[in-house]
Amino acid sequence: MISPDSPDTLHSPSPVASPRAGAAAALPSIRVGSAADAPPAEVPTLFVSHGSPMFALEPGETGPALRAWADDLRARFPALRGIVVMSPHWMARGVQVMAGPRPATWHDFGGFPEPLYALHYPAAGSPGLAAEVLALLQDAGIAAQGDAQRPFDHGAWVPLMHLFPQADLPVVQVALPAGAGPREVHALGAALRGLRAQNVLVVGSGSMTHNLSEFFGGAGGAQPYVAEFARWIEAAVQRGDTEALLDYRSRAPHAVRAHPGDDHFLPLFFALGAAGAGAAAHYLSREVMHGSLAMDSFALEPVSDAA
């Protein structure tokens, strides 16, 4: 079975240098220009459903769709310099940020076929980008710490293997704070919105639906509630109804069945917060795996870019 996320098994934060000094050097200077100066292009944000760990070996339709989107992203943003990702498989006491230069690949699950444990995602970390993230969080009034020992969990490395198999972009994870709700996670994403104009991709990796009892129970074909929930979320995202999404647990059909616990849905709000108001969703996948795992994945872009 998949190892449960528990505060009792969390990594303790490792001390890192104050983010202020590192971030000051890493953040580009802002030049006051004329009205004719074009604003910097902003990298879209991404929500991706990472499904079961077997997604690494069984890509279905979603894996190739993620790869095609990422290839197009790199063509549009050749200066793309890093990825900041939130996964529900790092749940910490408070806000923590991966700060090590060479994170290991953590196989944080059990009972799956042996070939899955042979996979590794050798992307570098980035203490410099971590310092930028910490500084932006501090500027937003959000206390955060760096963790120099944190490895990549499968909520990060499995989808990244499909998106960027070259593993040539540095990756920094942000922990999901234990006890945080949609509004708090949305605020975390919003604090990092400025990274998009600095050639950084912000990713929320979770699951559109995540009922493990049904997954391990071997549900047959696609369950009707899965599509009903996913399409309600899609409609709310497309009309920009942030309040409805923040209150999804009361308003969305089958919300509690789709998410008995909301940890795997919360990264969606990280992506929404980083995208900001007025973003349109470009859907990459609406696939359903194993009957109950909706693999919905979509990019959030300014309307002018998504048109």
Side-chain angles (χ1 to χ4, degrees), residues 76-123:
R76 293 167 54 199
F77 295 91
L80 192 68
R81 65 184 178 93
I83 303 164
V84 173
V85 58
M86 174 180 282
S87 156
H89 294 281
W90 184 16
M91 191 177 289
R93 299 180 183 92
V95 181
Q96 296 184 28
V97 177
M98 173 188 283
R102 286 287 170 189
T105 300
W106 185 21
H107 301 86
D108 53 331
F109 43 76
F112 288 88
E114 192 60 31
L116 192 57
Y117 300 90
L119 298 178
H120 293 274
Y121 191 71

Side-chain angles (χ1 to χ4, degrees), residues 122-210:
S126 175
L129 180 54
E132 294 179 59
V133 170
L134 287 164
L136 288 169
L137 292 170
Q138 184 174 331
D139 287 344
I142 300 171
Q145 293 179 289
D147 184 341
Q149 306 304 318
R150 177 69 193 178
F152 294 129
D153 59 67
H154 79 273
W157 66 262
V158 168
L160 287 173
M161 286 188 75
H162 294 296
L163 287 160
F164 303 103
Q166 313 93 317
D168 59 345
L169 289 171
V171 180
V172 170
Q173 282 197 238
V174 176
L176 175 62
R183 292 185 186 275
E184 292 81 6
V185 178
H186 189 275
L188 282 174
L192 304 182
R193 194 173 297 161
L195 291 174
R196 296 172 48 226
Q198 300 171 32
N199 290 302
V200 175
L201 172 64
V202 179
V203 180
S205 172
S207 288
M208 181 55 65
T209 57
H210 189 255

